[in-house]
Amino acid sequence: MKLTIFAASGGIGRLAVQQAVAAGHEVTAAVRDPAKVTWDEVRTVAVDLSRPDPDALSEALAGADAVLSGLGAATKADFGVAERGTRAICEAMRATGVRRIVVISAAPIGTVPSPGRPNPPRHDPGDAFMQRSVAYPIVKAILKKRYADLARMEDVLRASSLDWTALRPPRLNDKALTRRYRTEVGRNVRGGGIISRADVAHCMLEILDDPATFRQTVGLSD
């Protein structure tokens, strides 16, 4: 499969590139700084999604079968990049005929209000008592602007006609790939609280051809 991976030099993106190449996929890495992509087998295209360039996006998507995106704000200066960048990616996908996209969101986003979902449920059905009562309220207060950006990113996907999936992992770590993780379509994983970035990258690739995940959010955890 021919894949275009956005934010390919980020924590999850670089692992998705590595695993996709190992699995025999043909990869285009769309990154702000192509020098950060060190795999000889990977085609690179310079794309700055803080200031999306339609021509660069068209070049990055040329010939692609599917898109993976680990786009998200790394600093305060990046707030808004998930929504803005994903909107630009979706527009370019429509223009180039690419339909499949998998993005990274976050486990608490199902309860974060957004213009498209001004009254979300108070709790995700997969969240345990401590998560919905203690952990997630604290995390949402700390990461309020970052999560608002991800919630608006999901709005962009829902408003599109694309075959999208938004993965909602909980707390991330840098442990090794295990392939032993759980997923739930449309809800968070019951009792889930942590997962490695390597396993999130693996899941992005695993669900590419799964129609049950099209136009869905997917919770995952160890």
Side-chain angles (χ1 to χ4, degrees):
M1 186 178 292
K2 294 182 179 180
L3 304 177
T4 298
I5 302 180
F6 288 91
S9 60
I12 293 173
R14 61 182 176 79
L15 294 167
V17 171
Q18 184 179 23
Q19 293 178 29
V21 170
H25 297 294
E26 185 176 328
V27 176
T28 293
V31 289
R32 189 178 299 179
D33 181 3
K36 292 183 177 180
V37 179
T38 58
W39 292 277
D40 292 337
E41 308 94 328
V42 175
R43 170 177 172 257
T44 61
V45 178
V47 177
D48 183 355
L49 287 169
S50 66
R51 297 182 295 274
D53 177 356
D55 291 337
L57 285 166
S58 294
E59 181 184 353
L61 291 170
D65 298 308
V67 169
L68 306 182
S69 175
L71 189 62
T75 68
K76 289 182 179 179
D78 292 331
F79 288 155
V81 71
E83 176 195 9
R84 184 168 58 252
T86 301
R87 186 182 305 279
I89 291 169
C90 290
E91 289 172 356
M93 289 176 67
R94 286 192 291 270
T96 54
V98 184
R99 291 200 50 80
R100 183 67 171 128
I101 179 171
V102 179
V103 308
I104 303 299
S105 185
I109 300 304
T111 60
V112 174
S114 65
R117 296 173 73 242
N119 299 297
R122 291 184 60 193
H123 308 300
D124 186 285
D127 291 343
F129 174 79
M130 288 299 293
Q131 288 171 317
R132 66 175 183 261
S133 301
V134 180
Y136 286 166
I138 293 173
V139 171
K140 286 193 292 185
I142 295 171
L143 301 177
K144 183 177 180 180
K145 290 185 177 179
R146 185 173 282 109
Y147 281 177
D149 187 18
L150 292 176
R152 293 193 302 268
M153 175 191 73
E154 290 193 7
D155 282 350
V156 169
L157 294 171
R158 279 188 289 270
S160 78
S161 60
L162 302 175
D163 296 328
W164 59 268
T165 302
L167 291 182
R168 290 177 174 173
R171 185 162 60 94
L172 300 169
N173 64 35
D174 289 319
K175 291 185 177 181
L177 176 66
T178 70
R179 300 181 179 86
R180 297 189 301 272
Y181 53 85
R182 298 170 291 154
T183 60
E184 290 280 359
V185 175
R187 58 185 289 172
N188 290 337
V189 173
R190 187 72 174 175
I194 194 166
I195 190 170
S196 71
R197 290 176 175 84
D199 278 332
V200 175
H202 184 269
C203 186
M204 294 180 86
L205 294 166
E206 284 292 292
I207 67 171
L208 275 174
D209 290 328
D210 184 359
T213 68
F214 290 7
R215 303 190 65 78
Q216 296 283 352
T217 62
V218 175
L220 67 164
S221 186
D222 60 3

